[in-house]
Coordinates of all heavy atoms in Angstrom, one line a residue:
M1 N 13.6 10.6 1.2 CA 12.5 9.8 1.5 C 11.5 9.9 0.3 O 11.1 11.0 0.0 CB 11.8 10.2 2.8 CG 10.5 9.5 3.1 SD 9.8 9.8 4.7 CE 9.5 11.5 4.7
K2 N 11.1 8.7 -0.2 CA 10.2 8.7 -1.4 C 8.8 8.3 -0.8 O 8.7 7.4 0.0 CB 10.7 7.7 -2.4 CG 12.0 8.1 -3.0 CD 12.4 7.0 -4.0 CE 13.8 7.4 -4.5 NZ 14.3 6.3 -5.4
L3 N 7.8 9.0 -1.3 CA 6.4 8.8 -0.9 C 5.7 8.2 -2.0 O 5.8 8.7 -3.2 CB 5.8 10.0 -0.3 CG 6.4 10.6 0.9 CD1 5.7 12.0 1.2 CD2 6.3 9.7 2.1
I4 N 4.8 7.2 -1.8 CA 4.0 6.6 -2.8 C 2.5 6.9 -2.5 O 2.1 6.7 -1.4 CB 4.2 5.0 -2.8 CG1 5.7 4.7 -2.9 CG2 3.3 4.4 -3.8 CD1 6.3 5.1 -4.2
N5 N 1.8 7.4 -3.5 CA 0.4 7.7 -3.4 C -0.4 6.4 -3.4 O -0.3 5.6 -4.3 CB -0.1 8.6 -4.5 CG -1.5 9.0 -4.4 OD1 -2.3 8.5 -3.6 ND2 -1.9 10.0 -5.1
I6 N -1.1 6.1 -2.3 CA -1.9 4.9 -2.2 C -3.4 5.1 -2.4 O -4.2 4.3 -2.1 CB -1.7 4.2 -0.8 CG1 -2.0 5.0 0.3 CG2 -0.2 3.7 -0.7 CD1 -2.2 4.3 1.6
G7 N -3.7 6.3 -2.9 CA -5.1 6.7 -3.2 C -5.7 7.7 -2.3 O -5.3 7.8 -1.1
F8 N -6.5 8.6 -2.9 CA -7.2 9.7 -2.2 C -6.2 10.6 -1.5 O -6.5 11.2 -0.4 CB -8.2 9.1 -1.1 CG -9.2 8.2 -1.7 CD1 -9.1 6.8 -1.5 CD2 -10.1 8.7 -2.6 CE1 -10.0 6.0 -2.1 CE2 -11.1 7.8 -3.2 CZ -11.0 6.5 -2.9
G9 N -5.0 10.8 -2.1 CA -4.0 11.7 -1.5 C -3.2 11.2 -0.3 O -2.4 11.9 0.3
N10 N -3.4 10.0 0.0 CA -2.7 9.3 1.1 C -1.3 8.8 0.6 O -1.3 8.3 -0.5 CB -3.5 8.2 1.7 CG -4.8 8.7 2.3 OD1 -4.8 9.5 3.2 ND2 -5.9 8.1 1.8
M11 N -0.3 9.0 1.4 CA 1.1 8.7 1.0 C 1.7 7.7 2.0 O 1.4 7.8 3.2 CB 1.9 9.9 0.9 CG 1.3 11.0 0.0 SD 1.3 10.5 -1.7 CE 2.3 11.7 -2.4
V12 N 2.5 6.8 1.5 CA 3.3 5.9 2.4 C 4.7 6.0 2.0 O 5.1 6.1 0.8 CB 2.8 4.5 2.2 CG1 3.6 3.5 2.9 CG2 1.4 4.3 2.6
S13 N 5.6 5.9 2.9 CA 7.0 6.0 2.7 C 7.5 4.7 1.9 O 7.2 3.6 2.4 CB 7.8 6.1 4.0 OG 9.2 6.0 3.7
A14 N 8.1 4.8 0.8 CA 8.4 3.7 0.0 C 9.4 2.8 0.7 O 9.4 1.6 0.5 CB 9.0 4.2 -1.4
G15 N 10.3 3.4 1.5 CA 11.3 2.6 2.1 C 10.8 1.7 3.3 O 11.5 0.8 3.7
R16 N 9.6 2.0 3.7 CA 9.0 1.2 4.8 C 8.2 0.0 4.3 O 7.8 -0.8 5.1 CB 8.2 2.1 5.7 CG 8.9 3.1 6.4 CD 8.4 3.1 7.9 NE 9.2 3.9 8.7 CZ 10.0 3.4 9.7 NH1 10.0 2.1 9.9 NH2 10.6 4.2 10.5
I17 N 7.8 0.0 3.1 CA 6.9 -1.1 2.5 C 7.7 -2.4 2.4 O 8.8 -2.4 1.8 CB 6.4 -0.7 1.2 CG1 5.5 0.6 1.3 CG2 5.6 -1.8 0.6 CD1 4.9 1.1 0.0
I18 N 7.1 -3.4 3.0 CA 7.7 -4.8 2.9 C 7.0 -5.5 1.8 O 7.6 -6.1 1.0 CB 7.6 -5.5 4.3 CG1 8.5 -4.9 5.3 CG2 8.0 -7.0 4.1 CD1 8.4 -5.5 6.7
V19 N 5.6 -5.5 1.9 CA 4.9 -6.3 0.9 C 3.5 -5.6 0.7 O 3.0 -4.9 1.5 CB 4.6 -7.7 1.5 CG1 3.8 -7.7 2.7 CG2 4.1 -8.7 0.4
I20 N 3.0 -5.8 -0.6 CA 1.7 -5.3 -1.0 C 0.9 -6.6 -1.5 O 1.4 -7.2 -2.4 CB 1.8 -4.3 -2.1 CG1 2.7 -3.1 -1.7 CG2 0.4 -3.8 -2.5 CD1 3.1 -2.2 -2.9
V21 N -0.1 -6.9 -0.8 CA -0.9 -8.1 -1.1 C -2.4 -7.8 -1.3 O -2.9 -6.8 -0.9 CB -0.7 -9.2 0.0 CG1 0.8 -9.7 0.0 CG2 -1.1 -8.7 1.3
S22 N -3.0 -8.8 -1.9 CA -4.5 -8.8 -2.0 C -5.1 -9.2 -0.7 O -4.6 -10.1 0.0 CB -4.9 -9.7 -3.2 OG -6.3 -9.7 -3.3
P23 N -6.3 -8.7 -0.3 CA -6.9 -9.0 1.0 C -7.8 -10.2 1.0 O -8.4 -10.5 2.0 CB -7.7 -7.8 1.3 CG -8.2 -7.3 -0.1 CD -7.0 -7.6 -1.0
E24 N -7.8 -11.0 0.0 CA -8.8 -12.1 -0.1 C -8.5 -13.4 0.7 O -9.3 -14.1 1.2 CB -9.1 -12.6 -1.5 CG -10.1 -11.7 -2.3 CD -9.4 -10.5 -3.0 OE1 -8.2 -10.8 -3.4 OE2 -9.9 -9.5 -3.1
S25 N -7.2 -13.7 1.0 CA -6.8 -14.9 1.6 C -7.1 -14.9 3.1 O -7.1 -13.8 3.7 CB -5.4 -15.2 1.4 OG -4.6 -14.4 2.1
A26 N -7.4 -16.0 3.7 CA -7.7 -16.1 5.1 C -6.5 -15.6 6.0 O -6.8 -14.9 7.0 CB -8.1 -17.5 5.5
P27 N -5.3 -15.9 5.7 CA -4.2 -15.4 6.6 C -4.1 -13.9 6.6 O -3.8 -13.3 7.6 CB -2.9 -16.0 6.0 CG -3.4 -17.2 5.3 CD -4.8 -16.9 4.8
I28 N -4.3 -13.3 5.4 CA -4.3 -11.8 5.4 C -5.5 -11.2 6.1 O -5.3 -10.2 6.8 CB -4.3 -11.3 3.9 CG1 -3.0 -11.8 3.2 CG2 -4.4 -9.8 3.8 CD1 -1.7 -11.4 3.8
K29 N -6.6 -11.8 6.0 CA -7.8 -11.4 6.8 C -7.5 -11.5 8.3 O -7.9 -10.6 9.1 CB -9.0 -12.2 6.4 CG -9.6 -11.9 5.1 CD -10.8 -12.7 4.8 CE -11.3 -12.4 3.4 NZ -12.5 -13.2 3.0
R30 N -6.8 -12.5 8.7 CA -6.4 -12.7 10.1 C -5.4 -11.6 10.5 O -5.5 -11.0 11.6 CB -5.8 -14.1 10.3 CG -5.9 -14.6 11.7 CD -5.5 -16.0 11.8 NE -6.1 -16.9 10.8 CZ -5.4 -17.6 9.9 NH1 -4.1 -17.6 10.0 NH2 -6.0 -18.3 9.0
I31 N -4.5 -11.3 9.7 CA -3.5 -10.2 10.0 C -4.2 -8.9 10.1 O -3.9 -8.1 11.0 CB -2.4 -10.1 8.8 CG1 -1.5 -11.3 8.9 CG2 -1.7 -8.8 8.9 CD1 -0.6 -11.4 7.7
I32 N -5.2 -8.6 9.3 CA -6.0 -7.3 9.3 C -6.8 -7.3 10.7 O -6.8 -6.3 11.4 CB -6.9 -7.2 8.1 CG1 -6.2 -7.0 6.9 CG2 -7.9 -6.1 8.4 CD1 -7.0 -7.1 5.6
S33 N -7.4 -8.4 11.0 CA -8.2 -8.5 12.3 C -7.3 -8.3 13.5 O -7.6 -7.5 14.4 CB -8.9 -9.8 12.3 OG -9.6 -9.9 13.5
D34 N -6.1 -8.9 13.5 CA -5.2 -8.8 14.6 C -4.7 -7.3 14.7 O -4.5 -6.8 15.8 CB -4.0 -9.7 14.5 CG -4.4 -11.2 14.6 OD1 -5.5 -11.4 15.2 OD2 -3.6 -12.0 14.3
A35 N -4.4 -6.7 13.6 CA -3.9 -5.3 13.6 C -5.0 -4.4 14.1 O -4.6 -3.4 14.8 CB -3.4 -4.9 12.2
R36 N -6.2 -4.7 13.7 CA -7.3 -3.8 14.2 C -7.4 -3.9 15.7 O -7.6 -2.8 16.4 CB -8.6 -4.2 13.6 CG -9.8 -3.4 13.9 CD -11.0 -3.7 13.1 NE -10.9 -3.1 11.8 CZ -11.0 -3.8 10.6 NH1 -11.2 -5.1 10.7 NH2 -10.9 -3.2 9.5
T37 N -7.3 -5.0 16.3 CA -7.4 -5.2 17.8 C -6.2 -4.5 18.5 O -6.3 -4.1 19.6 CB -7.5 -6.6 18.2 OG1 -6.4 -7.4 17.8 CG2 -8.8 -7.2 17.7
K38 N -5.0 -4.5 17.8 CA -3.8 -4.0 18.4 C -3.6 -2.5 18.1 O -2.6 -1.9 18.4 CB -2.6 -4.7 17.9 CG -2.5 -6.1 18.4 CD -1.2 -6.8 17.8 CE -1.2 -8.3 18.1 NZ 0.0 -8.9 17.4
S39 N -4.6 -1.9 17.4 CA -4.5 -0.5 16.9 C -3.3 -0.2 16.0 O -2.7 0.8 16.1 CB -4.5 0.5 18.1 OG -5.7 0.3 18.9
Q40 N -3.0 -1.1 15.2 CA -1.9 -1.0 14.2 C -2.5 -0.9 12.8 O -1.7 -1.0 11.8 CB -0.9 -2.1 14.3 CG -0.2 -2.1 15.6 CD 0.8 -3.2 15.7 OE1 0.6 -4.3 15.2 NE2 1.9 -3.0 16.4
L41 N -3.8 -0.8 12.6 CA -4.4 -0.8 11.3 C -4.7 0.7 10.9 O -5.2 1.5 11.6 CB -5.7 -1.6 11.3 CG -6.4 -1.7 10.0 CD1 -5.7 -2.6 9.1 CD2 -7.8 -2.2 10.2
I42 N -4.3 1.0 9.6 CA -4.6 2.3 9.0 C -5.5 2.0 7.8 O -5.1 1.4 6.9 CB -3.3 3.0 8.6 CG1 -2.4 3.3 9.8 CG2 -3.7 4.3 7.9 CD1 -1.1 3.7 9.5
D43 N -6.7 2.5 7.9 CA -7.7 2.3 6.8 C -7.7 3.5 5.9 O -8.3 4.6 6.3 CB -9.1 2.0 7.4 CG -10.1 1.6 6.3 OD1 -9.8 1.7 5.1 OD2 -11.2 1.2 6.7
A44 N -7.1 3.4 4.8 CA -7.1 4.6 3.8 C -8.0 4.3 2.6 O -7.7 4.8 1.5 CB -5.6 4.8 3.4
T45 N -9.1 3.6 2.8 CA -10.0 3.3 1.7 C -11.1 4.3 1.6 O -11.8 4.3 0.6 CB -10.6 1.9 2.0 OG1 -11.4 1.9 3.2 CG2 -9.6 0.8 2.0
Y46 N -11.3 5.1 2.6 CA -12.4 6.1 2.5 C -13.8 5.4 2.3 O -14.6 5.9 1.5 CB -12.1 7.2 1.5 CG -11.1 8.2 2.0 CD1 -9.8 7.9 1.9 CD2 -11.5 9.4 2.4 CE1 -8.8 8.8 2.4 CE2 -10.6 10.4 2.9 CZ -9.3 10.0 2.8 OH -8.3 11.0 3.3
G47 N -14.0 4.3 2.9 CA -15.3 3.6 2.8 C -15.4 2.7 1.6 O -16.4 2.1 1.4
R48 N -14.4 2.7 0.8 CA -14.5 1.8 -0.4 C -14.0 0.4 -0.1 O -13.5 0.2 0.9 CB -13.7 2.5 -1.6 CG -14.4 3.8 -2.0 CD -13.8 4.3 -3.2 NE -14.5 5.5 -3.8 CZ -14.6 6.7 -3.3 NH1 -14.1 6.9 -2.1 NH2 -15.2 7.6 -3.9
R49 N -14.1 -0.4 -1.1 CA -13.7 -1.8 -0.9 C -12.2 -1.9 -0.8 O -11.5 -1.2 -1.6 CB -14.1 -2.6 -2.2 CG -13.8 -4.1 -2.1 CD -14.4 -4.8 -3.3 NE -13.7 -6.1 -3.4 CZ -13.3 -6.6 -4.6 NH1 -13.4 -5.9 -5.7 NH2 -12.7 -7.7 -4.6
T50 N -11.7 -2.7 0.1 CA -10.2 -2.9 0.3 C -9.7 -3.8 -0.9 O -10.2 -4.9 -1.0 CB -9.9 -3.5 1.6 OG1 -10.4 -2.7 2.6 CG2 -8.4 -3.7 1.8
R51 N -8.7 -3.3 -1.6 CA -8.2 -4.1 -2.7 C -6.7 -4.4 -2.5 O -6.2 -5.3 -3.2 CB -8.4 -3.3 -4.0 CG -9.8 -3.2 -4.4 CD -10.0 -2.7 -5.7 NE -11.4 -2.7 -6.1 CZ -11.8 -2.4 -7.3 NH1 -11.0 -2.0 -8.2 NH2 -13.1 -2.4 -7.6
A52 N -6.0 -3.6 -1.6 CA -4.6 -3.9 -1.3 C -4.4 -3.7 0.1 O -4.9 -2.9 0.8 CB -3.7 -3.0 -2.1
V53 N -3.5 -4.6 0.6 CA -3.0 -4.5 2.0 C -1.5 -4.3 2.0 O -0.8 -5.1 1.4 CB -3.4 -5.8 2.8 CG1 -2.8 -5.7 4.2 CG2 -4.8 -6.1 2.8
I54 N -1.1 -3.2 2.6 CA 0.3 -2.9 2.6 C 0.9 -3.2 4.0 O 0.3 -2.7 5.0 CB 0.6 -1.4 2.3 CG1 0.0 -1.1 0.9 CG2 2.0 -1.0 2.4 CD1 -0.2 0.4 0.6
I55 N 1.9 -4.0 4.1 CA 2.5 -4.3 5.4 C 3.9 -3.6 5.5 O 4.7 -3.7 4.5 CB 2.7 -5.8 5.6 CG1 1.3 -6.5 5.5 CG2 3.4 -6.1 6.9 CD1 1.3 -8.0 5.6
T56 N 4.1 -2.8 6.5 CA 5.3 -2.0 6.7 C 6.3 -2.7 7.6 O 5.9 -3.6 8.4 CB 5.0 -0.6 7.1 OG1 4.4 -0.6 8.4 CG2 4.1 0.1 6.2
D57 N 7.5 -2.2 7.6 CA 8.5 -2.8 8.5 C 8.3 -2.5 10.0 O 8.9 -3.2 10.8 CB 9.9 -2.3 8.0 CG 10.1 -0.8 8.1 OD1 9.2 -0.1 8.4 OD2 11.3 -0.4 7.9
N58 N 7.5 -1.5 10.3 CA 7.3 -1.2 11.7 C 6.0 -1.9 12.2 O 5.6 -1.6 13.3 CB 7.2 0.3 12.0 CG 6.1 1.0 11.2 OD1 5.4 0.3 10.4 ND2 6.0 2.3 11.4
G59 N 5.4 -2.8 11.4 CA 4.3 -3.6 11.9 C 2.9 -3.0 11.6 O 1.9 -3.6 11.9
C60 N 2.9 -1.8 11.0 CA 1.6 -1.2 10.6 C 1.0 -1.9 9.4 O 1.7 -2.3 8.5 CB 1.7 0.3 10.3 SG 2.0 1.3 11.7
I61 N -0.3 -2.0 9.4 CA -1.0 -2.6 8.3 C -1.9 -1.5 7.7 O -2.7 -0.9 8.4 CB -2.0 -3.8 8.7 CG1 -1.2 -4.8 9.5 CG2 -2.6 -4.4 7.5 CD1 -0.1 -5.5 8.8
I62 N -1.7 -1.2 6.4 CA -2.4 -0.2 5.7 C -3.3 -0.7 4.6 O -2.9 -1.5 3.8 CB -1.4 0.8 5.1 CG1 -0.4 1.3 6.1 CG2 -2.2 2.0 4.4 CD1 0.8 2.1 5.6
L63 N -4.6 -0.3 4.7 CA -5.6 -0.8 3.7 C -5.8 0.3 2.6 O -5.9 1.5 2.9 CB -6.9 -1.1 4.3 CG -6.9 -2.0 5.5 CD1 -8.4 -2.2 6.1 CD2 -6.3 -3.3 5.2
S64 N -5.8 -0.1 1.4 CA -5.9 0.8 0.2 C -7.0 0.3 -0.7 O -7.3 -0.9 -0.8 CB -4.6 0.9 -0.5 OG -4.8 1.7 -1.7
A65 N -7.7 1.3 -1.3 CA -8.7 0.9 -2.3 C -8.2 0.7 -3.7 O -8.9 0.3 -4.6 CB -9.8 2.0 -2.4
L66 N -6.9 0.9 -3.9 CA -6.2 0.7 -5.2 C -5.8 -0.8 -5.3 O -5.5 -1.4 -4.3 CB -5.0 1.6 -5.3 CG -5.2 3.1 -5.3 CD1 -3.9 3.8 -5.5 CD2 -6.2 3.5 -6.5
L67 N -5.6 -1.2 -6.5 CA -5.1 -2.6 -6.7 C -3.7 -2.7 -6.4 O -2.9 -1.7 -6.5 CB -5.4 -3.0 -8.2 CG -6.8 -3.2 -8.6 CD1 -6.9 -3.4 -10.1 CD2 -7.4 -4.4 -7.9
P68 N -3.2 -3.9 -5.9 CA -1.8 -4.1 -5.6 C -0.9 -3.8 -6.8 O 0.2 -3.2 -6.6 CB -1.7 -5.5 -5.2 CG -3.1 -5.9 -4.7 CD -4.0 -5.1 -5.5
E69 N -1.3 -4.1 -8.0 CA -0.6 -3.9 -9.2 C -0.4 -2.4 -9.4 O 0.7 -1.9 -9.9 CB -1.2 -4.5 -10.4 CG -1.3 -6.0 -10.4 CD -2.4 -6.6 -9.6 OE1 -3.3 -5.8 -9.2 OE2 -2.5 -7.8 -9.4
T70 N -1.4 -1.6 -9.1 CA -1.3 -0.1 -9.3 C -0.3 0.5 -8.3 O 0.6 1.3 -8.7 CB -2.7 0.5 -9.1 OG1 -3.6 -0.1 -9.9 CG2 -2.6 2.0 -9.3
I71 N -0.3 0.0 -7.1 CA 0.6 0.6 -6.1 C 2.0 0.1 -6.4 O 3.0 0.9 -6.3 CB 0.2 0.1 -4.7 CG1 -1.2 0.7 -4.4 CG2 1.2 0.6 -3.7 CD1 -1.8 0.1 -3.1
A72 N 2.2 -1.1 -6.8 CA 3.5 -1.7 -7.2 C 4.1 -0.9 -8.4 O 5.3 -0.6 -8.4 CB 3.4 -3.2 -7.5
G73 N 3.2 -0.6 -9.3 CA 3.7 0.2 -10.5 C 4.1 1.6 -10.1 O 5.1 2.1 -10.6
R74 N 3.4 2.2 -9.2 CA 3.9 3.5 -8.7 C 5.2 3.4 -7.9 O 6.0 4.3 -8.0 CB 2.8 4.1 -7.8 CG 1.5 4.5 -8.6 CD 0.5 5.0 -7.7 NE -0.7 5.3 -8.5 CZ -1.8 5.9 -8.0 NH1 -1.9 6.2 -6.7 NH2 -2.8 6.1 -8.8
L75 N 5.3 2.3 -7.2 CA 6.5 2.1 -6.4 C 7.7 1.9 -7.3 O 8.8 2.4 -7.1 CB 6.3 0.9 -5.5 CG 7.5 0.5 -4.5 CD1 7.7 1.7 -3.6 CD2 7.1 -0.7 -3.8
S76 N 7.5 1.1 -8.4 CA 8.7 0.8 -9.3 C 9.0 2.0 -10.1 O 10.2 2.2 -10.4 CB 8.4 -0.4 -10.2 OG 7.3 -0.1 -11.0
S77 N 8.0 2.8 -10.5 CA 8.3 4.0 -11.3 C 9.0 5.1 -10.4 O 9.8 5.8 -10.9 CB 7.0 4.6 -11.9 OG 6.2 5.1 -10.9
K78 N 8.8 5.1 -9.1 CA 9.4 6.0 -8.2 C 10.9 5.6 -8.0 O 11.7 6.4 -7.7 CB 8.7 6.1 -6.9 CG 7.3 6.7 -7.0 CD 7.4 8.2 -7.2 CE 6.0 8.8 -7.2 NZ 6.0 10.2 -7.4
S79 N 11.2 4.3 -8.0 CA 12.5 3.8 -7.7 C 13.5 4.0 -8.8 O 14.7 4.0 -8.6 CB 12.5 2.3 -7.3 OG 12.1 1.6 -8.4
E80 N 13.0 4.2 -10.0 CA 13.9 4.5 -11.2 C 14.3 5.9 -11.2 O 13.5 6.8 -10.9 CB 13.2 4.1 -12.5 CG 12.9 2.6 -12.6 CD 12.0 2.3 -13.8 OE1 11.7 3.2 -14.5 OE2 11.7 1.1 -13.9
P81 N 15.6 6.3 -11.5 CA 16.0 7.7 -11.5 C 15.2 8.4 -12.6 O 15.0 8.0 -13.7 CB 17.5 7.6 -11.8 CG 17.7 6.2 -12.4 CD 16.6 5.3 -11.9
C82 N 14.8 9.6 -12.2 CA 14.0 10.5 -13.2 C 15.0 11.4 -13.8 O 15.7 12.2 -13.2 CB 13.0 11.2 -12.4 SG 12.0 12.3 -13.5
T83 N 15.1 11.4 -15.2 CA 16.0 12.2 -15.9 C 15.3 13.4 -16.5 O 16.0 14.3 -17.0 CB 16.7 11.4 -17.0 OG1 15.7 11.0 -17.9 CG2 17.5 10.3 -16.5
G84 N 14.0 13.4 -16.5 CA 13.2 14.5 -17.1 C 13.1 14.3 -18.5 O 12.5 15.1 -19.2
E85 N 13.6 13.3 -19.1 CA 13.5 13.0 -20.5 C 12.4 11.9 -20.7 O 12.1 11.2 -19.8 CB 14.8 12.5 -21.1 CG 16.0 13.4 -20.7 CD 16.4 14.3 -21.8 OE1 16.0 14.1 -23.0 OE2 17.0 15.3 -21.5
S86 N 12.0 11.7 -21.9 CA 11.0 10.7 -22.2 C 11.6 9.3 -22.3 O 10.9 8.3 -22.3 CB 10.3 11.0 -23.6 OG 11.3 10.9 -24.6
G87 N 12.9 9.2 -22.3 CA 13.6 7.9 -22.4 C 13.8 7.3 -23.8 O 14.3 6.2 -23.9
D88 N 13.4 8.0 -24.8 CA 13.6 7.6 -26.2 C 14.9 8.2 -26.8 O 14.8 9.1 -27.6 CB 12.4 8.0 -27.0 CG 11.1 7.3 -26.6 OD1 11.2 6.1 -26.3 OD2 10.1 8.0 -26.5
E89 N 16.0 7.7 -26.3 CA 17.3 8.2 -26.8 C 17.9 7.3 -27.8 O 17.9 6.2 -27.7 CB 18.2 8.5 -25.6 CG 17.6 9.5 -24.7 CD 18.5 9.7 -23.5 OE1 19.4 10.6 -23.6 OE2 18.3 9.0 -22.5

């Protein structure tokens, strides 16, 4: 199981992530609101501005203060095999 840091020491299982999106659009705001009423919302922003919304395969919605590009970069770097070398062969 690979864990991805989504900010402030919070981790999410990489295998459970379906999508990472920006929170500005009306449909995403609606998804956040619905998840809050259904108690399926996890707010990992620590009071900061929400910059990324992570939707998991089990229906949980996770809010992060990191940009979606940052989380996606961490996700893609974790999916590549680590050889312990710098890669300049």
